[in-house]
Amino acid sequence: MLQQSELVFDFASDHINLTGFGGPLDSDYPAVIVEQIPHAHLLSYSGLACEQSHIEDVHQQPFKVEPCESGDEETMETLVAADSLLNMDCPDTLSLEQHYSETFLPLDDGISTAVTQVTVSGGIVGGVDQPQWHSLHTKRPAAQLQSKKRGKKSRHRRAESPTPDIIVKKDKYNKGGNTLYLWQFLMELLQDRQVCPRYIKWTNAQAGIFKLVNSKAVARLWGKHKNKPDMNYETMGRALRYYYQRGILNKVEGQRLVYQFTSLPKDMIYITDGDGAKEEDHDNNSCNDEDVSDDSDDSTISSSDQSEEEEQSIPPEKKISFNSVRAPAPQRTRPAPKLLGQRDTVLRSSSTSLIQEQHLPIVSGEMLRTLHNLPKVQSLKPAGHASVFKTAQLLGSLWEQQASGDSKGAMETPDEKSHPGQKISHVEPLQLVRLTSSDQ
DNA sequence: GATGGCCTAATTAGGACTTCCGGTGT
DNA sequence: CACACCGGAAGTCCTAATTAGGCCAT
């Protein structure tokens, strides 16, 4: 049983290999993937910024960090959140990814205060020293790709479902991949303040134990994601039970709706009960979320949104890896045909990785302009909002670089060719800024 | 014309569920 | 009685690997 002090929930930026960069962006500064998002509608993918008006508000007050404490507002927020979540169509998980982006760069005042990053140092499980964004920009040799075409080779086994301690290996085929495994989905929900802890919550984050507070709602969300309107907890539960065999999940004995991840990524975002959304721990699924998450709105996904999501899919040509923390032994263990230790090198596409490259902050030019111009942002005090301040500083500098006409092409990526509509600038090394309550 | 490389579409294998079911426990 | 939970069995869906065939250059 791992003790809390033995766990390390680390963040990708902490282990970025700075080799070869040598620029002003030292480890104190985040690297940001800057994308010129063609349309502001991308922000609307997230339930957090579900309305254009909200986006406009963001432009006006991008860094509100005051917590939302009003109960009424909380209720409204939850209503909106549930509604937007149930309206989320994330064939490529963009919704959640966008949410991630906004978590890193708080466009919503609620988020910036809600997310608590649990960082516990001590014994490391899973090789923390390894860069988490392993070979993010490495390319598979072309010859290697071509050689696979010809010559008879025994059929490769398809990569199995990755576990949190995976190494992601992106290949060229999964450009539009929308695979988000159930366990990933649950982890995403657990990092989503809109549903955590309202629908799903950690009961022991360090141990990876979580509870489906509203199993029906979670099942509906899953069904929504999988385009299975008939999804229910019974069906989802069957999928969860298959995870027992595969060593991904364990059931916590004696506690209904309580499961345990056998391993966790280091850079999980842990939303605690006190982080904002009032917990409604109705074990009997009796909360009013049923009304909120009524299916009546579920089918209102606009086709334009879907096409937009396709347009916004980020070319996944990178390989990502991140380490994980092995959760302590479950309270109930089952023999796993595939031991986790044997799965450490399971490959999966970046589109299915829990922390995806797309999760990196996506900063539109508009955001940069906002950041650059707003005195409020520039007046942020490093002591008070260290990460925010750093982010603002960096984004400001990035914007200046862009504005000055970055003709060197140093920030261009090959992705630009295939996605001419997206002005993508990658600043290396990749580092993330996460706004945490501890920064304040 | 023969050979080989490249490209693309079709086929295939297999993973990840999904659905259904009967049963047990709380 | 409702619900959670279990696991077997069969099915679907999706994706990646493989294969076949056409085109082109040498």
mmCIF file of all heavy atoms in Angstrom, chain C residues 2-6 8-11 13 16 24 26:
data_model
loop_
_atom_site.group_PDB
_atom_site.id
_atom_site.type_symbol
_atom_site.label_atom_id
_atom_site.label_comp_id
_atom_site.label_asym_id
_atom_site.label_seq_id
_atom_site.Cartn_x
_atom_site.Cartn_y
_atom_site.Cartn_z
ATOM 1 P P DA C 2 -39.736 -2.815 -8.719
ATOM 2 O OP1 DA C 2 -40.699 -1.916 -9.376
ATOM 3 O OP2 DA C 2 -39.344 -4.077 -9.356
ATOM 4 O "O5'" DA C 2 -38.408 -1.977 -8.410
ATOM 5 C "C5'" DA C 2 -38.449 -0.951 -7.428
ATOM 6 C "C4'" DA C 2 -37.043 -0.510 -7.076
ATOM 7 O "O4'" DA C 2 -36.430 -1.505 -6.220
ATOM 8 C "C3'" DA C 2 -36.117 -0.340 -8.282
ATOM 9 O "O3'" DA C 2 -35.411 0.874 -8.157
ATOM 10 C "C2'" DA C 2 -35.196 -1.546 -8.215
ATOM 11 C "C1'" DA C 2 -35.155 -1.851 -6.719
ATOM 12 N N9 DA C 2 -34.921 -3.257 -6.391
ATOM 13 C C8 DA C 2 -35.566 -4.344 -6.912
ATOM 14 N N7 DA C 2 -35.157 -5.495 -6.421
ATOM 15 C C5 DA C 2 -34.182 -5.131 -5.511
ATOM 16 C C6 DA C 2 -33.366 -5.881 -4.651
ATOM 17 N N6 DA C 2 -33.400 -7.208 -4.579
ATOM 18 N N1 DA C 2 -32.489 -5.203 -3.872
ATOM 19 C C2 DA C 2 -32.457 -3.875 -3.948
ATOM 20 N N3 DA C 2 -33.172 -3.054 -4.716
ATOM 21 C C4 DA C 2 -34.024 -3.756 -5.475
ATOM 22 P P DC C 3 -34.637 1.429 -9.399
ATOM 23 O OP1 DC C 3 -34.749 2.898 -9.396
ATOM 24 O OP2 DC C 3 -35.021 0.648 -10.587
ATOM 25 O "O5'" DC C 3 -33.142 1.031 -9.015
ATOM 26 C "C5'" DC C 3 -32.648 1.403 -7.733
ATOM 27 C "C4'" DC C 3 -31.426 0.592 -7.397
ATOM 28 O "O4'" DC C 3 -31.809 -0.773 -7.164
ATOM 29 C "C3'" DC C 3 -30.367 0.539 -8.507
ATOM 30 O "O3'" DC C 3 -29.243 1.299 -8.102
ATOM 31 C "C2'" DC C 3 -30.048 -0.944 -8.660
ATOM 32 C "C1'" DC C 3 -30.674 -1.571 -7.418
ATOM 33 N N1 DC C 3 -31.105 -2.981 -7.565
ATOM 34 C C2 DC C 3 -30.531 -3.968 -6.776
ATOM 35 O O2 DC C 3 -29.677 -3.646 -5.959
ATOM 36 N N3 DC C 3 -30.935 -5.249 -6.924
ATOM 37 C C4 DC C 3 -31.861 -5.550 -7.824
ATOM 38 N N4 DC C 3 -32.240 -6.837 -7.934
ATOM 39 C C5 DC C 3 -32.466 -4.551 -8.649
ATOM 40 C C6 DC C 3 -32.064 -3.296 -8.490
ATOM 41 P P DA C 4 -28.075 1.539 -9.084
ATOM 42 O OP1 DA C 4 -27.556 2.891 -8.848
ATOM 43 O OP2 DA C 4 -28.478 1.126 -10.449
ATOM 44 O "O5'" DA C 4 -27.019 0.482 -8.534
ATOM 45 C "C5'" DA C 4 -26.668 0.515 -7.158
ATOM 46 C "C4'" DA C 4 -25.781 -0.659 -6.815
ATOM 47 O "O4'" DA C 4 -26.571 -1.874 -6.888
ATOM 48 C "C3'" DA C 4 -24.583 -0.858 -7.743
ATOM 49 O "O3'" DA C 4 -23.429 -1.083 -6.960
ATOM 50 C "C2'" DA C 4 -24.957 -2.090 -8.564
ATOM 51 C "C1'" DA C 4 -25.848 -2.856 -7.602
ATOM 52 N N9 DA C 4 -26.829 -3.722 -8.245
ATOM 53 C C8 DA C 4 -27.784 -3.364 -9.158
ATOM 54 N N7 DA C 4 -28.533 -4.353 -9.559
ATOM 55 C C5 DA C 4 -28.051 -5.447 -8.870
ATOM 56 C C6 DA C 4 -28.427 -6.806 -8.843
ATOM 57 N N6 DA C 4 -29.415 -7.294 -9.584
ATOM 58 N N1 DA C 4 -27.734 -7.635 -8.026
ATOM 59 C C2 DA C 4 -26.738 -7.128 -7.295
ATOM 60 N N3 DA C 4 -26.296 -5.870 -7.226
ATOM 61 C C4 DA C 4 -27.006 -5.075 -8.040
ATOM 62 P P DC C 5 -22.037 -1.091 -7.655
ATOM 63 O OP1 DC C 5 -21.049 -0.702 -6.633
ATOM 64 O OP2 DC C 5 -22.154 -0.333 -8.904
ATOM 65 O "O5'" DC C 5 -21.824 -2.616 -8.011
ATOM 66 C "C5'" DC C 5 -21.883 -3.573 -6.964
ATOM 67 C "C4'" DC C 5 -21.908 -4.969 -7.542
ATOM 68 O "O4'" DC C 5 -23.199 -5.229 -8.115
ATOM 69 C "C3'" DC C 5 -20.903 -5.212 -8.666
ATOM 70 O "O3'" DC C 5 -19.834 -5.989 -8.176
ATOM 71 C "C2'" DC C 5 -21.715 -5.935 -9.751
ATOM 72 C "C1'" DC C 5 -23.017 -6.282 -9.031
ATOM 73 N N1 DC C 5 -24.204 -6.359 -9.909
ATOM 74 C C2 DC C 5 -24.858 -7.573 -10.057
ATOM 75 O O2 DC C 5 -24.438 -8.560 -9.449
ATOM 76 N N3 DC C 5 -25.942 -7.644 -10.856
ATOM 77 C C4 DC C 5 -26.369 -6.552 -11.503
ATOM 78 N N4 DC C 5 -27.452 -6.656 -12.290
ATOM 79 C C5 DC C 5 -25.714 -5.292 -11.358
ATOM 80 C C6 DC C 5 -24.641 -5.247 -10.557
ATOM 81 P P DC C 6 -18.612 -6.208 -9.091
ATOM 82 O OP1 DC C 6 -17.453 -6.393 -8.197
ATOM 83 O OP2 DC C 6 -18.585 -5.194 -10.150
ATOM 84 O "O5'" DC C 6 -18.945 -7.609 -9.758
ATOM 85 C "C5'" DC C 6 -19.258 -8.725 -8.924
ATOM 86 C "C4'" DC C 6 -19.698 -9.888 -9.767
ATOM 87 O "O4'" DC C 6 -21.047 -9.643 -10.236
ATOM 88 C "C3'" DC C 6 -18.855 -10.091 -11.019
ATOM 89 O "O3'" DC C 6 -17.957 -11.156 -10.817
ATOM 90 C "C2'" DC C 6 -19.884 -10.431 -12.115
ATOM 91 C "C1'" DC C 6 -21.229 -10.390 -11.414
ATOM 92 N N1 DC C 6 -22.311 -9.734 -12.184
ATOM 93 C C2 DC C 6 -23.270 -10.511 -12.814
ATOM 94 O O2 DC C 6 -23.201 -11.741 -12.725
ATOM 95 N N3 DC C 6 -24.257 -9.898 -13.527
ATOM 96 C C4 DC C 6 -24.291 -8.577 -13.598
ATOM 97 N N4 DC C 6 -25.284 -8.015 -14.296
ATOM 98 C C5 DC C 6 -23.317 -7.764 -12.948
ATOM 99 C C6 DC C 6 -22.346 -8.382 -12.263
ATOM 100 P P DG C 8 -16.642 -15.452 -16.948
ATOM 101 O OP1 DG C 8 -15.730 -16.400 -16.305
ATOM 102 O OP2 DG C 8 -16.119 -14.256 -17.625
ATOM 103 O "O5'" DG C 8 -17.555 -16.234 -17.989
ATOM 104 C "C5'" DG C 8 -18.578 -17.092 -17.485
ATOM 105 C "C4'" DG C 8 -19.669 -17.275 -18.518
ATOM 106 O "O4'" DG C 8 -20.552 -16.129 -18.498
ATOM 107 C "C3'" DG C 8 -19.158 -17.406 -19.949
ATOM 108 O "O3'" DG C 8 -19.823 -18.491 -20.584
ATOM 109 C "C2'" DG C 8 -19.505 -16.071 -20.594
ATOM 110 C "C1'" DG C 8 -20.723 -15.625 -19.809
ATOM 111 N N9 DG C 8 -20.873 -14.173 -19.688
ATOM 112 C C8 DG C 8 -19.987 -13.296 -19.109
ATOM 113 N N7 DG C 8 -20.383 -12.056 -19.141
ATOM 114 C C5 DG C 8 -21.608 -12.111 -19.779
ATOM 115 C C6 DG C 8 -22.519 -11.063 -20.105
ATOM 116 O O6 DG C 8 -22.408 -9.860 -19.889
ATOM 117 N N1 DG C 8 -23.658 -11.553 -20.750
ATOM 118 C C2 DG C 8 -23.878 -12.873 -21.048
ATOM 119 N N2 DG C 8 -25.017 -13.157 -21.674
ATOM 120 N N3 DG C 8 -23.043 -13.859 -20.754
ATOM 121 C C4 DG C 8 -21.934 -13.406 -20.122
ATOM 122 P P DA C 9 -19.202 -19.071 -21.923
ATOM 123 O OP1 DA C 9 -19.503 -20.514 -21.932
ATOM 124 O OP2 DA C 9 -17.815 -18.602 -22.088
ATOM 125 O "O5'" DA C 9 -20.087 -18.355 -23.038
ATOM 126 C "C5'" DA C 9 -21.508 -18.408 -22.939
ATOM 127 C "C4'" DA C 9 -22.135 -17.519 -23.982
ATOM 128 O "O4'" DA C 9 -22.146 -16.155 -23.493
ATOM 129 C "C3'" DA C 9 -21.393 -17.497 -25.326
ATOM 130 O "O3'" DA C 9 -22.293 -17.852 -26.358
ATOM 131 C "C2'" DA C 9 -20.912 -16.052 -25.474
ATOM 132 C "C1'" DA C 9 -21.865 -15.295 -24.570
ATOM 133 N N9 DA C 9 -21.321 -14.063 -23.995
ATOM 134 C C8 DA C 9 -20.140 -13.913 -23.336
ATOM 135 N N7 DA C 9 -19.914 -12.679 -22.920
ATOM 136 C C5 DA C 9 -21.037 -11.988 -23.341
ATOM 137 C C6 DA C 9 -21.409 -10.636 -23.204
ATOM 138 N N6 DA C 9 -20.671 -9.714 -22.595
ATOM 139 N N1 DA C 9 -22.592 -10.264 -23.726
ATOM 140 C C2 DA C 9 -23.344 -11.188 -24.348
ATOM 141 N N3 DA C 9 -23.097 -12.484 -24.540
ATOM 142 C C4 DA C 9 -21.907 -12.816 -24.002
ATOM 143 P P DA C 10 -21.703 -18.212 -27.793
ATOM 144 O OP1 DA C 10 -22.368 -19.447 -28.250
ATOM 145 O OP2 DA C 10 -20.231 -18.127 -27.774
ATOM 146 O "O5'" DA C 10 -22.250 -16.991 -28.655
ATOM 147 C "C5'" DA C 10 -23.601 -16.566 -28.476
ATOM 148 C "C4'" DA C 10 -23.780 -15.159 -29.014
ATOM 149 O "O4'" DA C 10 -23.192 -14.221 -28.089
ATOM 150 C "C3'" DA C 10 -23.114 -14.908 -30.373
ATOM 151 O "O3'" DA C 10 -24.056 -14.370 -31.267
ATOM 152 C "C2'" DA C 10 -21.996 -13.905 -30.062
ATOM 153 C "C1'" DA C 10 -22.546 -13.208 -28.831
ATOM 154 N N9 DA C 10 -21.527 -12.597 -27.976
ATOM 155 C C8 DA C 10 -20.394 -13.185 -27.494
ATOM 156 N N7 DA C 10 -19.654 -12.387 -26.755
ATOM 157 C C5 DA C 10 -20.367 -11.198 -26.748
ATOM 158 C C6 DA C 10 -20.121 -9.953 -26.142
ATOM 159 N N6 DA C 10 -19.048 -9.700 -25.398
ATOM 160 N N1 DA C 10 -21.025 -8.977 -26.332
ATOM 161 C C2 DA C 10 -22.097 -9.237 -27.086
ATOM 162 N N3 DA C 10 -22.437 -10.365 -27.705
ATOM 163 C C4 DA C 10 -21.521 -11.315 -27.500
ATOM 164 P P DG C 11 -23.696 -14.246 -32.810
ATOM 165 O OP1 DG C 11 -24.802 -14.820 -33.600
ATOM 166 O OP2 DG C 11 -22.311 -14.726 -33.029
ATOM 167 O "O5'" DG C 11 -23.687 -12.666 -33.008
ATOM 168 C "C5'" DG C 11 -24.797 -11.889 -32.558
ATOM 169 C "C4'" DG C 11 -24.372 -10.469 -32.323
ATOM 170 O "O4'" DG C 11 -23.439 -10.441 -31.223
ATOM 171 C "C3'" DG C 11 -23.643 -9.820 -33.493
ATOM 172 O "O3'" DG C 11 -24.508 -8.943 -34.190
ATOM 173 C "C2'" DG C 11 -22.480 -9.072 -32.876
ATOM 174 C "C1'" DG C 11 -22.604 -9.308 -31.379
ATOM 175 N N9 DG C 11 -21.331 -9.576 -30.742
ATOM 176 C C8 DG C 11 -20.656 -10.763 -30.693
ATOM 177 N N7 DG C 11 -19.531 -10.693 -30.035
ATOM 178 C C5 DG C 11 -19.463 -9.378 -29.617
ATOM 179 C C6 DG C 11 -18.473 -8.708 -28.855
ATOM 180 O O6 DG C 11 -17.421 -9.158 -28.401
ATOM 181 N N1 DG C 11 -18.808 -7.368 -28.653
ATOM 182 C C2 DG C 11 -19.943 -6.758 -29.113
ATOM 183 N N2 DG C 11 -20.089 -5.478 -28.826
ATOM 184 N N3 DG C 11 -20.877 -7.375 -29.810
ATOM 185 C C4 DG C 11 -20.577 -8.674 -30.029
ATOM 186 P P DC C 13 -22.924 -1.787 -36.003
ATOM 187 O OP1 DC C 13 -24.035 -0.806 -36.041
ATOM 188 O OP2 DC C 13 -22.609 -2.606 -37.184
ATOM 189 O "O5'" DC C 13 -21.601 -1.026 -35.554
ATOM 190 C "C5'" DC C 13 -21.540 -0.469 -34.255
ATOM 191 C "C4'" DC C 13 -20.131 0.023 -33.970
ATOM 192 O "O4'" DC C 13 -19.299 -1.098 -33.597
ATOM 193 C "C3'" DC C 13 -19.455 0.712 -35.157
ATOM 194 O "O3'" DC C 13 -18.986 1.982 -34.755
ATOM 195 C "C2'" DC C 13 -18.315 -0.234 -35.532
ATOM 196 C "C1'" DC C 13 -18.041 -0.962 -34.224
ATOM 197 N N1 DC C 13 -17.469 -2.328 -34.366
ATOM 198 C C2 DC C 13 -16.342 -2.695 -33.632
ATOM 199 O O2 DC C 13 -15.831 -1.859 -32.889
ATOM 200 N N3 DC C 13 -15.846 -3.947 -33.771
ATOM 201 C C4 DC C 13 -16.428 -4.812 -34.585
ATOM 202 N N4 DC C 13 -15.900 -6.031 -34.690
ATOM 203 C C5 DC C 13 -17.592 -4.466 -35.346
ATOM 204 C C6 DC C 13 -18.074 -3.228 -35.203
ATOM 205 P P DA C 16 -5.814 3.727 -35.909
ATOM 206 O OP1 DA C 16 -5.244 4.591 -34.866
ATOM 207 O OP2 DA C 16 -6.220 4.287 -37.210
ATOM 208 O "O5'" DA C 16 -4.781 2.539 -36.193
ATOM 209 C "C5'" DA C 16 -4.562 1.576 -35.184
ATOM 210 C "C4'" DA C 16 -4.014 0.296 -35.784
ATOM 211 O "O4'" DA C 16 -5.059 -0.383 -36.510
ATOM 212 C "C3'" DA C 16 -2.858 0.499 -36.760
ATOM 213 O "O3'" DA C 16 -1.879 -0.509 -36.544
ATOM 214 C "C2'" DA C 16 -3.521 0.345 -38.129
ATOM 215 C "C1'" DA C 16 -4.625 -0.659 -37.827
ATOM 216 N N9 DA C 16 -5.783 -0.568 -38.699
ATOM 217 C C8 DA C 16 -6.408 0.566 -39.140
ATOM 218 N N7 DA C 16 -7.445 0.342 -39.910
ATOM 219 C C5 DA C 16 -7.511 -1.029 -39.978
ATOM 220 C C6 DA C 16 -8.389 -1.902 -40.643
ATOM 221 N N6 DA C 16 -9.411 -1.493 -41.407
ATOM 222 N N1 DA C 16 -8.172 -3.226 -40.509
ATOM 223 C C2 DA C 16 -7.149 -3.636 -39.754
ATOM 224 N N3 DA C 16 -6.259 -2.920 -39.092
ATOM 225 C C4 DA C 16 -6.497 -1.611 -39.238
ATOM 226 P P DC C 24 0.654 6.932 -64.791
ATOM 227 O OP1 DC C 24 0.198 8.338 -64.843
ATOM 228 O OP2 DC C 24 0.521 6.063 -65.961
ATOM 229 O "O5'" DC C 24 2.187 6.916 -64.337
ATOM 230 C "C5'" DC C 24 2.542 7.435 -63.067
ATOM 231 C "C4'" DC C 24 3.986 7.071 -62.731
ATOM 232 O "O4'" DC C 24 4.068 5.665 -62.406
ATOM 233 C "C3'" DC C 24 4.971 7.308 -63.888
ATOM 234 O "O3'" DC C 24 5.981 8.212 -63.472
ATOM 235 C "C2'" DC C 24 5.548 5.924 -64.185
ATOM 236 C "C1'" DC C 24 5.282 5.153 -62.893
ATOM 237 N N1 DC C 24 5.120 3.683 -63.086
ATOM 238 C C2 DC C 24 5.941 2.803 -62.394
ATOM 239 O O2 DC C 24 6.816 3.246 -61.631
ATOM 240 N N3 DC C 24 5.789 1.464 -62.581
ATOM 241 C C4 DC C 24 4.837 1.017 -63.401
ATOM 242 N N4 DC C 24 4.711 -0.306 -63.555
ATOM 243 C C5 DC C 24 3.975 1.909 -64.112
ATOM 244 C C6 DC C 24 4.149 3.217 -63.928
ATOM 245 P P DT C 26 13.599 8.041 -63.444
ATOM 246 O OP1 DT C 26 14.397 8.906 -62.557
ATOM 247 O OP2 DT C 26 13.236 8.467 -64.809
ATOM 248 O "O5'" DT C 26 14.334 6.624 -63.564
ATOM 249 C "C5'" DT C 26 14.540 5.852 -62.375
ATOM 250 C "C4'" DT C 26 15.007 4.457 -62.756
ATOM 251 O "O4'" DT C 26 13.900 3.706 -63.300
ATOM 252 C "C3'" DT C 26 16.123 4.450 -63.801
ATOM 253 O "O3'" DT C 26 17.265 3.790 -63.293
ATOM 254 C "C2'" DT C 26 15.519 3.666 -64.974
ATOM 255 C "C1'" DT C 26 14.406 2.869 -64.304
ATOM 256 N N1 DT C 26 13.271 2.508 -65.189
ATOM 257 C C2 DT C 26 12.924 1.185 -65.317
ATOM 258 O O2 DT C 26 13.499 0.291 -64.727
ATOM 259 N N3 DT C 26 11.867 0.958 -66.158
ATOM 260 C C4 DT C 26 11.139 1.902 -66.863
ATOM 261 O O4 DT C 26 10.216 1.575 -67.590
ATOM 262 C C5 DT C 26 11.554 3.261 -66.692
ATOM 263 C C7 DT C 26 10.859 4.365 -67.419
ATOM 264 C C6 DT C 26 12.603 3.510 -65.869
#
